[in-house]
Amino acid sequence: MSTDQTEAGKLLALRNKIDAIDEEIGRLISARAECAQEVADVKKANLPDDAKILFYRPEREAQVLRKAMERNNGPLSNEEMARLFREIMSACLALENPIKVAYLGPEGTFTQQASLKHFGHSALVLPFSAIDEVFREVEAGAVNYGVVPVENSTEGVVNHTLDNFMGSNLKICGEVELRIHHNLMVSDVTNVNSITRIYSHSQSLAQCRKWLDAHYPNAERVAVSSNAEAAKRLKGEWNAAAIAGSMAADLYGLKIIAEKIEDQPDNSTRFLIIGKQAVPQSGVDKTSIVVAMRNEPGALHKLLEPFHRHNIDLTRVETRPSRTGAWTYVFFIDFAGHVDEPLISDVMKEVANRCADLKLLGSYPKAVL
């Protein structure tokens, strides 16, 4: 028997094995979908007719994804395994009621990418032109959730998002962390040897400052409302390029001429999921609060001392001027734990007694993906 025949026989056996596995995977996915439908039927049967059913449970989905990663023995990475389970859950949920999600648009932004990463591609994601609009759509009930950027590892917080929380009753229901890769792209009419203008969002231009200084020191840097808007502007401009993500390049038919041009290789952005529901404990949670303090010596130390004394991990502290008083400041604080935990509940009461006002923005699962 020749080597070619031996190889062909091995390949045929492996392909037959893959076909059998695929058949089993398909059967199990269908069984899971049927089980998800039964869960929905049980929820419907035990609620009044006018009650709104919560099909999407952030804490439950976080638990399922963590278990998928814990069980994973390779060769796929934990993140890839969780991503596959995310899409299965998204498709199962869409059988009953596809989730409507508002995000900071337009199409092709990193916020859209974060929305799909968190909710899966079976969710209905809708772009809006401003963070305020995303908040309004969720508050009005036109969508189930919203996705807004809150901080970048290189450029810091997105103040507009923080400011919207001050006057909103919406809650933080989850978070997404997205590794940000910036690419330089051109259209089919661009003369790549004559680029004199580069479009992008102001934060993206800042995150690629050193690379631009080295490669296009004389090109005009034009800040626009989003990276997707930068990509849209290239059509018909022979001397312009844009900095955006790969999704924007695919969406607007552009060619990437330089990949991963961000100055910091670990550049990432954190996005918040906003909604109306309080989220139960998932086991690995974070809490966000906003606290108003009078402008007096030692105010910040007085505020943070209970967290230090009880060994609670603070993950972020940001200061913003208050809208209600010229000499009053508000602190946005993120920390590990859930408000339903006795220790966290006790610390919250102690902090409330030390400040002028305390608002719980939400307790929610720590980002899994």
Side-chain angles (χ1 to χ4, degrees):
M1 183 179 295
S2 69
T3 303
D4 290 345
Q5 288 175 320
T6 303
E7 181 180 339
K10 288 181 179 179
L11 288 174
L12 178 61
L14 287 170
R15 286 166 182 158
N16 288 338
K17 184 177 181 180
I18 288 173
D19 288 343
I21 293 171
D22 287 346
E23 183 178 353
E24 182 68 6
I25 290 173
R27 186 188 67 77
L28 291 173
I29 290 175
S30 295
R32 192 192 193 286
E34 290 172 358
C35 190
Q37 287 181 314
E38 291 177 14
V39 169
D41 291 339
V42 171
K43 288 182 179 180
K44 291 176 183 177
N46 290 280
L47 282 177
D49 293 338
D50 59 345
K52 192 171 183 180
I53 302 174
L54 295 176
F55 291 105
Y56 176 71
R57 298 293 299 269
E59 78 286 357
R60 170 62 180 160
E61 295 220 347
Q63 291 166 350
V64 171
L65 294 177
R66 289 187 198 123
K67 287 179 181 177
M69 296 170 78
E70 290 169 4
R71 289 192 300 259
N72 181 40
N73 293 316
L76 295 178
S77 68
N78 284 347
E79 183 170 336
E80 188 66 17
M81 183 64 72
R83 188 189 65 79
L84 292 171
F85 270 83
R86 153 62 61 222
E87 292 299 334
I88 292 172
M89 288 191 289
S90 179
C92 291
L93 187 62
L95 289 172
E96 287 301 323
N97 190 15
I99 291 179
K100 291 183 179 180
V101 180
Y103 69 90
L104 178 63
E107 287 186 278
T109 59
F110 288 115
T111 313
Q112 181 187 18
Q113 190 176 335
S115 303
L116 294 173
K117 181 179 181 181
H118 188 80
F119 290 101
H121 286 71
S122 294
L124 178 61
V125 295
L126 306 169
F128 291 87
S129 59
I131 290 173
D132 323 49
E133 292 182 34
V134 175
F135 272 78
R136 282 199 297 270
E137 289 295 305
V138 181
E139 287 171 341
V143 297
N144 304 107
Y145 298 96
V147 180
V148 290
V150 69
E151 65 177 326
N152 176 265
S153 59
T154 303
E155 293 301 308
V157 299
V158 180
N159 290 326
H160 203 177
T161 294
L162 298 185
D163 290 344
N164 268 275
F165 278 115
M166 293 188 195
S168 173
N169 292 320
L170 294 180
K171 299 182 182 299
I172 302 174
C173 301
E175 64 174 2
V176 190
E177 292 177 356
L178 190 67
R179 183 63 61 86
I180 302 297
H181 293 305
H182 292 304
N183 308 293
L184 188 72
M185 55 194 67
V186 296
S187 73
D188 52 1
V189 300
T190 304
N191 183 340
V192 295
N193 295 318
S194 303
I195 294 174
T196 58
R197 185 181 302 119
I198 297 175
Y199 294 109
S200 196
H201 188 274
S202 58
Q203 282 212 345
S204 299
L205 291 171
Q207 291 163 22
C208 303
R209 185 183 300 113
K210 293 179 181 178
W211 189 92
L212 290 171
D213 288 345
H215 294 84
Y216 292 91
N218 299 318
E220 179 187 10
R221 301 171 194 180
V222 182
V224 294
S225 60
S226 70
N227 291 343
E229 176 62 27
K232 287 172 67 176
R233 289 197 178 202
L234 291 191
K235 288 297 183 182
E237 295 203 26
W238 63 271
N239 63 333
I243 296 174
S246 56
M247 180 180 285
D250 294 339
L251 185 63
Y252 299 110
L254 304 176
K255 178 183 178 183
I256 294 175
I257 60 173
E259 294 183 317
K260 299 180 180 179
I261 64 172
E262 60 274 6
D263 296 332
Q264 300 295 329
D266 59 348
N267 183 34
S268 61
T269 295
R270 178 173 170 244
F271 301 83
L272 296 178
I273 313 301
I274 56 174
K276 293 183 176 181
Q277 73 199 79
V279 181
Q281 297 181 61
S282 73
V284 185
D285 301 292
K286 293 173 71 173
T287 295
S288 296
I289 59 175
V290 57
V291 180
M293 297 292 290
R294 296 177 184 85
N295 188 19
E296 57 187 23
L300 182 58
H301 177 269
K302 180 180 178 182
L303 171 63
L304 300 182
E305 190 276 331
F307 294 99
H308 174 72
R309 179 162 27 93
H310 292 284
N311 200 31
I312 294 173
D313 182 23
L314 295 176
T315 58
R316 185 171 64 102
V317 178
E318 295 291 341
T319 308
R320 295 290 292 152
S322 172
R323 295 177 176 178
T324 58
W327 306 108
T328 303
Y329 288 85
V330 294
F331 297 93
F332 287 85
I333 302 174
D334 294 344
F335 55 91
H338 193 284
V339 70
D340 289 340
E341 297 174 38
L343 175 60
I344 300 298
S345 179
D346 290 343
V347 170
M348 290 278 282
K349 292 174 184 176
E350 189 172 347
V351 171
N353 290 330
R354 297 182 176 213
C355 66
D357 189 30
L358 185 150
K359 181 180 181 181
L360 172 66
L361 299 182
S363 287
Y364 49 91
K366 184 179 179 182
V368 180
L369 283 173

